[in-house]
Amino acid sequence: MLLKQYIKEVFTIKDLAPKNLEQARIRAVQLRISGYTLAETSAQTGLSVPTITKVFKVFESGGWAAIKPAPRGRKAGEGSGLSAEQQQRLREGLLQPPLTGLWSREAVAKEAERLFSVQISERAVSRLLQEWHLDCPALKVPKPKGVRNPAARWYRQDYEPLLEWAERHQASLLLANCQPARRSPDTFQFYLQTSLRKQLWLESSHWPTENWLVEVMERSLAEQKMPLALCLMGLDLRRASQFKAWLDQHKTQINLIAVPPEVELCSS
């Protein structure tokens, strides 16, 4: 019975948020100073007797500040197995395209193994990308309300035919966005999202040029190994004659529509 009660108390206190945990520890010290027994203090705070004893000893040696709970969880990048210098080198390497295809979490993990002979998990990569501001928001194309507004007309005249083309050609449907990278306003990030919400990207240290967009498309075709149906946000391609010429030459492999500036599609 005592063991069950102890286990219940331990799991209860682990579930407390740090702020509530700190309040429980402060209350426990106050009760002990006021002469309450360990059992009475445990009943009022939910803390186990061993925890109360430990907290009170810490209070006696370090005061109120010493009983604050330590921050939970890992900071971004921690647990990756990479030193700060290795993380910096890996981050700088992502400014250049990979040997083939586009960057992805798997590709970053393989690059770390190639550079440092260290295997890191995709979860660790996700923490690093978050710290480096390379994590991308999920994209979606909601069906607009109404029939006469610009968004509804674009959806009916451009996006629905793209979906039909993708089904007819058994193509991979990708949502894409090009925007200034959050790391630096001088750096641009082109990222794509697959139907399974896998994210692929490349960075550019300059304003996206038509030659660079062609490279992104060629790498995307090599990555997916199948026809592509792309819906692109963030770039106005109406004057991109060179890029349009390249698309015309590859119209059996890739069908790209751009979201016009007057149509706003928010990320999910």
Side-chain angles (χ1 to χ4, degrees), residues 4 20 32 94 101 109-110 136 138 148 165 167-168 184 240 256:
K4 289 183 178 179
N20 293 335
R32 292 294 289 149
L94 299 185
K110 289 180 180 179
C136 306
R148 297 184 178 180
W165 186 92
E167 184 176 359
R168 188 166 62 252
S184 168
L256 183 147

Side-chain angles (χ1 to χ4, degrees), residues 51-104:
T51 298
I52 296 170
T53 302
K54 180 179 179 181
V55 167
F56 195 77
K57 287 182 179 179
V58 171
F59 167 75
E60 288 181 318
S61 61
W64 294 109
I67 67 174
K68 288 186 177 182
R72 294 179 179 177
R74 291 172 173 167
K75 296 180 180 179
E78 289 184 346
S80 65
L82 301 178
S83 67
E85 291 77 13
Q86 289 173 328
Q87 291 182 29
Q88 180 64 23
R89 182 181 171 189
L90 179 61
R91 172 67 188 93
E92 292 175 351
L94 299 185
L95 288 170
Q96 302 299 322
L99 296 177
T100 60
L102 304 171
W103 287 118
S104 64

Side-chain angles (χ1 to χ4, degrees), residues 4-47:
K4 289 183 178 179
Q5 179 65 20
Y6 174 73
I7 293 174
K8 180 180 179 181
E9 290 169 350
V10 169
F11 277 94
T12 299
I13 201 63
K14 282 186 177 180
D15 291 338
L16 287 177
K19 184 177 180 180
N20 293 335
L21 180 56
E22 180 181 354
Q23 292 173 348
R25 290 178 173 181
I26 292 174
R27 180 61 176 159
V29 172
Q30 291 172 336
L31 291 172
R32 292 294 289 149
I33 292 175
S34 300
Y36 283 76
T37 66
L38 287 171
E40 291 170 337
T41 302
S42 177
Q44 291 201 33
T45 63
L47 299 172

Side-chain angles (χ1 to χ4, degrees), residues 105-115 118 120:
R105 285 171 173 78
E106 301 95 321
V108 174
K110 289 180 180 179
E111 181 69 3
E113 185 175 3
R114 185 186 73 83
L115 291 174
V118 174
I120 60 177

Side-chain angles (χ1 to χ4, degrees), residues 218-236:
E218 290 177 340
R219 286 177 171 271
S220 300
L221 286 170
E223 179 87 27
Q224 298 296 305
K225 298 180 175 64
M226 62 191 307
L228 303 181
L230 275 86
C231 176
L232 174 61
M233 312 171 194
L235 285 179
D236 186 353

